[in-house]
Amino acid sequence: MSAKQSFHPWISNNAKVTINLTGMTAPKRGYLQCDSGHWSFLPGKSPDTTTNRNAPIPLENFISNGGNLIESAQLIPGWVTKAQAAEKRGIFTAQTQAVRRIVFAK
């Protein structure tokens, strides 16, 4: 499947995403990249591999596993903060729990 024939409308080559794969200590912001049907994630502020010093992270079986990454909020469109990513995944820190209690108590 090419970048233009993706299974989700926002998934495309050089799409800004936040990703939090198993084994990552925190979500990373970067770009999805598709080269000849092989998907990868390029962490960093630039999708240009000549200026971005980070190594791409291959996304093996992305076409078959991508839907699971989206459903589990491990792959989020755009760049979100660590707290926003945790909230989307249903993971709340003590700080976010305290803020939620204050907001809902009003």
Side-chain angles (χ1 to χ4, degrees), residues 33-91:
Q33 297 197 320
C34 183
D35 183 22
S36 303
H38 299 284
W39 288 88
S40 62
F41 171 75
L42 181 65
K45 295 181 180 181
S46 173
D48 185 0
T49 54
T50 59
T51 58
N52 189 333
R53 296 181 188 175
N54 297 312
I57 300 169
L59 299 173
E60 301 295 329
N61 303 316
F62 182 68
I63 300 307
S64 58
N65 296 335
N68 292 336
L69 293 174
I70 294 166
E71 288 175 20
S72 64
Q74 288 180 283
L75 180 64
I76 303 167
W79 289 353
V80 298
T81 65
K82 185 177 181 179
Q84 289 169 324
E87 186 174 336
K88 287 183 183 290
R89 292 188 70 191
I91 301 169

Side-chain angles (χ1 to χ4, degrees), residues 21-34:
L21 300 174
T22 304
M24 288 184 172
T25 57
K28 294 181 185 273
R29 297 177 192 161
Y31 296 87
L32 281 179
Q33 297 197 320
C34 183

Side-chain angles (χ1 to χ4, degrees), residues 3 5 7-9 12 16-17 19-20 25 36 42-44 55 57 62 77-78 95 100:
Q5 300 170 326
F7 52 89
H8 218 280
S12 63
K16 279 185 175 182
V17 296
I19 197 166
N20 192 2
T25 57
S36 303
L42 181 65
I57 300 169
F62 182 68
Q95 183 180 9
R100 289 172 59 100

